[in-house]
Each structure stands twice: as structure tokens, then as C-alpha cells.
């Protein structure tokens, strides 16, 4: 594996790095964490901004990573977020840089992040109704999220994408309204199947709104045709809406998995490499980095971690078990 990029034993090559900057969040979404929150990582366990930039630099220069996406928890809670973005934007070759956020605080941060080098954002938004937003997130902050979306568009962080999870009995009737909203505002909508990554381990496949159901609901009001061209490793199946050019995406991670074409590698806030969102093992780069490892040694550890990547997440296999870490600690 010496000298190679992030190749795994099934021939896939990871070029897309998801970086969780911290595990804390200022929402308490019912499908993500309990109302009281979780036991957050201690500050000394979190990578510093300089450590993040060093590891991402190794991924870009030595391992062939071309896309970097910052996630959380909620990444806007990192006070040094703009500095980290600026450091990654200065790398050669420069990767494409994206951010996944709940949008709270984005109205204040969008211009600074764009100036630092952020290219685009994905904002999570599951409902357009304030009472439902409060029910889902346990916080009354819908107006702040909508303001953050507008701020991102003004700052040029485009295309601005919206990520939505439909929950049976709560908001599944908003598939079409969410799409109409995004079409009118110029945002790109992505529906995501709810995945078994909650800390309560209460996920129920029968309660999940599937990709097929989402498409059926949208087709009651819109004409959907598959977007031409190769999907590649993109997680979303994309559909032209009423002939285009606008599109809508559906990420069917559970019922329409794309593991065979996965090009992602993950770095957690405490410096662990995860080869898969549902992995049960991690490789500790933080200890090696703080122990004086060279860039070449860190790259070697990263390659070895990705070589052992499983063929797929295994949700449909008997005996499937959720990873110990919830989504907020892994990153989307």
C-alpha cells in the first residue's frame, strides 16, 4: 500500500474526506440525540485547529483527497472554524471545501467563511412549520435557520443545498412543500433516509420513510426524470424536476445503498479515522500525531485503515449492530 492513495481491498479509492470538528450541537433533534444531550468529548481530546489542518494537508497532498466537508455535531460552534477553513484553502492542490450545518449562526458567519475559502454549504431543514421544528429539534429556531440559508446565498456559498429527513407521522407530508420552497428560493434539496445512528438505538426500519415513498409523494405534484450522466460516487440519486434544470436528490442509504461506489473517508473530532459511517473500528491518528509521528507515518496509518474498509454497511444482514458512536460524534 506504500505510495498509494486511500485504496481499499475492494478497489475503491477514497477522495472525499468528511471531518467532524466537534460532537456538540445546539439542537436536540429527536432522531439524533436525547433531550438532555450527550456526554461531550473533553476539550483536550479534541483536535486543535492546527492539528486538523495538518491531517487534512496529509490527506490532500499525500493521499489524493480532493473534497473536504466539515461536519459536527454543529461545526459553527467551533470558534476557530474560519481559521481552519483558511488553512485548508491554502493547501496545494486546493481541495473543494464544503460545510454541513444546522444553519443556526450562519447568518453571522457566512461572509467570513466565504472570505476564508469555503465553497458551499448544506443546511439541515426538516420542516417549514415552526411548531414542527420545535417538536423535531426541541428548539424554537426555525427563523434563524431560514435566515442562515439566505445569508449563505448572499455570500456566494453555492449551490446552497438543503438536507431533509422525513419522519413518519411527523413531517412526511412536507415532501412537496419543501421542494416547492427550495425551487422558489434557488436551493438544491436532498432528502435523506433516516439511518440507524441514534444514541438511543431506537431506530425502526418500518417507521423510516423510504426513498421509494419520498419519490412517490413528489410525483403527485412534479414530473421527475432521472438526471442524465453518471452518478459516480455521489450519495444522492438526482432527478430533474418538471424537465429541469432544477433537480431534487434522494439519498437512500438504507434501501438503495451506494456502498460499492463509496469514495469517503472520515476523521472524527478526536482524531480517529473511520473507513465507514457504520464502522465498529477506528484508527487513532491523534495519539500518533501527538506522539511525534511524521507525515509519512500518519499517511501510512490512514492507508491501512482504509484498506480494511468493509464492502458495505450491512444494515440488511442478520446481526447488524449500530456503531457505538452516534451520528453527532461521527459527522454526516
Amino acid at each position: 500500500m506504500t505510495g498509494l492513495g486511500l485504496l481499499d481491498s475492494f478497489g475503491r479509492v477514497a477522495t472525499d474526506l468528511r471531518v467532524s470538528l466537534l460532537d456538540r450541537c445546539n439542537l436536540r433533534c429527536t432522531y439524533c440525540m436525547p433531550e438532555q444531550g450527550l456526554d461531550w468529548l473533553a476539550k483536550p481530546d479534541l483536535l486543535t485547529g492546527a492539528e486538523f489542518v495538518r491531517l487534512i494537508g496529509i490527506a490532500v497532498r499525500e493521499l489524493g483527497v480532493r473534497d473536504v466537508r466539515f461536519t459536527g455535531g454543529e461545526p459553527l460552534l467551533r470558534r476557530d472554524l474560519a481559521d481552519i477553513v483558511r488553512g485548508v484553502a491554502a493547501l496545494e492542490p486546493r481541495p473543494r471545501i464544503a460545510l454541513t450545518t444546522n444553519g443556526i449562526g450562519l447568518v453571522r458567519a457566512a461572509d467570513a467563511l466565504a472570505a476564508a475559502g469555503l465553497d458551499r454549504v448544506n443546511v439541515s431543514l426538516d420542516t417549514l412549520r415552526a411548531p414542527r421544528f420545535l417538536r423535531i429539534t426541541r428548539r424554537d429556531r426555525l427563523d434563524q435557520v431560514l435566515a442562515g440559508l439566505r445569508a449563505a446565498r448572499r455570500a456566494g456559498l453555492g449551490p446552497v443545498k438543503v438536507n431533509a429527513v422525513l419522519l413518519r407521522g411527523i413531517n412526511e407530508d412536507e415532501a412537496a412543500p419543501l421542494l416547492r420552497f427550495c425551487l422558489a428560493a434557488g436551493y438544491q434539496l436532498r432528502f435523506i433516509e433516516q439511518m440507524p445512528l441514534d444514541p438511543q438505538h431506537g431506530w425502526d426500519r418500518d417507521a423510516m420513510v423510504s426513498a421509494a415513498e419520498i419519490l412517490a409523494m413528489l410525483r403527485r405534484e412534479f414530473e421527475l426524470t432521472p438526471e442524465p450522466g453518471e452518478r459516480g460516487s455521489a450519495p444522492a440519486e438526482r432527478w430533474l424536476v418538471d424537465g429541469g434544470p432544477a433537480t431534487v436528490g434522494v439519498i437512500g442509504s438504507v434501501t438503495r445503498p451506494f456502498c460499492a461506489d463509496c469514495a469517503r473517508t472520515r476523521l472524527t473530532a478526536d482524531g480517529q479515522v473511520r473507513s465507514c459511517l457504520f464502522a465498529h473500528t477506528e484508527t487513532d491518528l491523534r495519539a500518533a500525531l501527538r506522539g511525534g509521528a511524521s507525515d509519512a507515518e500518519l499517511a501510512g496509518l490512514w492507508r491501512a485503515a482504509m484498506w480494511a474498509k468493509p464492502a458495505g454497511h450491512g444494515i440488511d444482514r442478520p446481526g447488524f449492530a449500530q456503531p457505538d458512536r452516534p451520528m453527532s460524534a461521527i459527522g454526516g
Side-chain angles (χ1 to χ4, degrees), residues 18 27 29 31 69-75 98-104 106 120-128 133 136-137 142 145-146 148-149 152 159-167 171 174-175 177-179 181-183 186-195 214 234-238 247-253 258 264 266 277 327 331-332:
R18 306 296 173 99
L27 296 181
C29 296
Y31 55 83
R69 173 175 295 280
F70 293 114
T71 71
E74 175 43 54
L99 175 77
T100 295
T101 171
N102 62 29
I104 296 172
L106 189 55
R120 61 183 183 84
V121 295
N122 285 38
V123 177
S124 299
L125 177 64
D126 300 329
T127 178
L128 298 170
F133 188 91
I136 293 170
T137 70
L142 176 59
V145 177
L146 296 176
L149 279 165
V160 176
K161 296 185 179 181
V162 171
N163 294 341
V165 176
L166 297 183
L167 306 168
N171 68 335
E174 289 193 71
L178 281 165
L179 181 52
F181 165 76
C182 288
L183 292 174
Y187 308 139
Q188 293 186 8
L189 178 60
R190 299 289 181 271
F191 290 103
I192 305 173
E193 288 182 338
Q194 184 187 0
M195 292 179 284
I214 294 167
E237 293 181 82
R238 302 207 327 168
T247 64
V248 63
V250 178
I251 302 176
S253 301
F258 43 90
R264 280 161 290 286
R266 298 176 181 276
L277 191 60
M327 173 67 89

Side-chain angles (χ1 to χ4, degrees), residues 54-55 58 63 284-286 288-289 293-303:
R54 182 183 172 192
L55 290 176
I58 292 169
L63 300 173
D284 189 353
L285 295 189
R286 184 191 64 196
L289 183 154
S294 67
D295 286 3
E297 290 169 330
L298 291 167
L301 289 171
W302 207 325
R303 288 190 189 98

Side-chain angles (χ1 to χ4, degrees), residues 256-295:
R256 299 158 93 140
F258 43 90
C259 301
D261 296 308
C262 181
R264 280 161 290 286
T265 184
R266 298 176 181 276
L267 181 65
T268 67
D270 54 348
Q272 311 299 306
V273 167
R274 295 178 64 88
S275 64
C276 173
L277 191 60
F278 294 92
H280 288 273
T281 60
E282 299 176 335
T283 297
D284 189 353
L285 295 189
R286 184 191 64 196
L289 183 154
R290 293 180 179 177
S294 67
D295 286 3

Side-chain angles (χ1 to χ4, degrees), residues 92-114:
E92 292 291 342
R94 185 196 189 283
R96 292 178 289 267
I97 308 171
L99 175 77
T100 295
T101 171
N102 62 29
I104 296 172
L106 189 55
V107 70
R108 298 186 302 273
D111 287 336
L113 290 172

